[in-house]
Amino acid sequence: DAGVIQSPRHEVTEMGQEVTLRCKPISGHDYLFWYRQTMMRGLELLIYFNNNVPIDDSGMPEDRFSAKMPNASFSTLKIQPSEPRDSAVYFCASSMDGIYDSGNTIYFGEGSWLTVV
Amino acid sequence: GESVGLHLPTLSVQEGDNSIINCAYSNSASDYFIWYKQESGKGPQFIIDIRSNMDKRQGQRVTVLLNKTVKHLSLQIAATQPGDSAVYFCAETRHPGNKLTFGGGTRVLVKP
């Protein structure tokens, strides 16, 4: 398996523009997670899905952020409008079961490095 | 790109020596803990996990110790190799827990 695939790997955009980050989880994994990593706040969970259904989005910073999972093999994280403080590395991860039951099956993608200028 | 966290605490270790990375967790209700390794430009990678009903767990060249009394977790790496150079994170959660809370991370630099 190719692992969790994220795109783009790097994006530089201007403040106010819409940003869409994409994720393809590992086939057969029922859980999908979006994390954000910054120097100030470290790694934070934004939202996670189970069987394509959003379960907990309490980590989504504000209404400018939205995430969808239209099918088992694709998810998007969208920021509209983007702001400089959104600059971070965004990671997608997937796992076969929930983390508590099988934490060793969670795999992270290589991340999307976003810079908003 | 580099892993974020340029101001992380850093552990410098000579190749072949043992490394000990420490982590203090905050939530006394946490009962499942995971150590991750993050190499430059990559996502976190699972190393080893431990549940609160255990004090110690061993893997290949790694050992995790859990002290629930003082809410402390440590990762020991035996015979540290250049490929062990990375940032190491501990993470905690509790049942039914799909929300991992990550620690701030420690950078390990292995000197040849």
Side-chain angles (χ1 to χ4, degrees), chain A residues 48-105:
Chain A
Y48 78 91
F49 297 81
N50 180 23
N51 292 323
N52 314 337
V53 176
I55 303 300
D56 189 332
D57 65 354
S58 59
M60 296 285 263
E62 48 198 273
D63 292 344
R64 297 184 297 107
F65 286 70
S66 62
K68 294 182 180 179
M69 193 165 184
N71 57 62
S73 59
F74 183 66
S75 177
T76 60
L77 178 67
K78 190 171 291 188
I79 309 172
Q80 167 63 20
S82 58
E83 297 182 1
R85 59 193 168 119
D86 301 330
S87 297
V89 185
Y90 291 82
F91 288 102
C92 177
S94 70
S95 68
M96 192 176 307
D97 296 308
I99 290 176
Y100 193 83
D101 294 325
S102 58
N104 60 347
T105 70

Side-chain angles (χ1 to χ4, degrees), chain A residues 9-10 31 33 35 37-39 43 45 48 56 58-59 89 91 97-104 106-111 113, chain B residues 1-7 31-32 34 36 38 41-46 49 51 89 93-100 102-103:
Chain A
R9 283 280 282 147
H10 299 273
Y31 286 80
F33 306 84
Y35 285 87
Q37 187 174 38
T38 62
M39 283 175 56
L43 271 159
L45 177 66
Y48 78 91
D56 189 332
S58 59
V89 185
F91 288 102
D97 296 308
I99 290 176
Y100 193 83
D101 294 325
S102 58
N104 60 347
I106 183 170
Y107 293 91
F108 284 76
E110 296 200 328
W113 189 286
Chain B
E2 285 286 321
S3 299
V4 293
L6 297 179
H7 304 292
D31 57 2
Y32 181 49
I34 304 175
Y36 287 95
Q38 187 176 22
K42 296 189 176 182
Q45 177 185 6
F46 173 93
D49 59 357
R51 298 194 185 273
F89 294 94
T93 189
R94 63 184 174 120
H95 190 272
N98 282 305
K99 298 182 69 171
L100 282 172
F102 282 83

Side-chain angles (χ1 to χ4, degrees), chain A residues 100, chain B residues 25-33 52 68 71 92-95:
Chain A
Y100 193 83
Chain B
Y25 64 93
S26 55
N27 190 345
S28 57
S30 293
D31 57 2
Y32 181 49
F33 306 87
S52 61
K68 296 179 286 293
K71 293 189 287 187
E92 61 181 292
T93 189
R94 63 184 174 120
H95 190 272

Side-chain angles (χ1 to χ4, degrees), chain B residues 60-88:
Chain B
Q60 187 177 13
R61 282 201 307 119
V62 294
T63 300
V64 55
L65 299 177
L66 174 62
N67 185 329
K68 296 179 286 293
T69 302
V70 295
K71 293 189 287 187
H72 184 266
L73 201 64
S74 68
L75 178 70
Q76 301 176 359
I77 305 174
T80 312
Q81 301 170 0
D84 295 326
S85 292
V87 177
Y88 290 81

